[in-house]
Amino acid sequence: QLYEERDSTIDVSFKRSLYVVKNITAGGTFTNENIKSIRPGFGLQPHLYNNIVGKTATVDLKQGDALKEEHVKW
C-alpha cells in the first residue's frame, strides 16, 4: 500500500505525552525529575514540557498519572 493511501491517524498508544514519574502533592512544583515524555499519548503533548516545568500542581498526582491541563496551575 502506498503511503498516500494509508490512514494518516496514528494510534495514540504509539505517541508520546507527559506523565508523572514521581509523586507530586497539590501545590508542588513540576520539575525535570517528576515529569517525563513517555508513551502512550494520553497526557499533555511533549512540546509543552518546558512551559510546565516550574509550574505548580493543582491536585495530588501519583507516579504513572497522565498529565492533564487541569493538573497545572497556569
Side-chain angles (χ1 to χ4, degrees), residues 5-73:
E5 295 174 357
R6 278 190 250 155
D7 185 358
S8 64
T9 59
I10 297 175
D11 187 335
V12 72
S13 63
F14 294 111
K15 292 184 178 182
R16 290 183 173 270
S17 64
L18 299 177
Y19 275 81
V20 176
V21 293
K22 289 186 179 176
N23 293 346
I24 307 169
T25 58
T29 303
F30 293 105
T31 67
N32 294 323
E33 289 77 39
N34 61 23
I35 61 170
K36 299 283 182 215
S37 173
I38 58 176
R39 289 181 182 94
F42 297 117
L44 289 173
Q45 296 180 358
H47 73 84
L48 296 172
Y49 182 88
N50 289 329
N51 296 330
I52 293 171
V53 171
K55 300 275 193 279
T56 56
T58 58
V59 295
D60 290 342
L61 297 164
K62 295 180 185 172
Q63 179 181 357
D65 286 346
L67 199 54
K68 305 287 184 186
E69 192 170 339
E70 60 268 17
H71 297 156
V72 181
K73 184 175 182 180

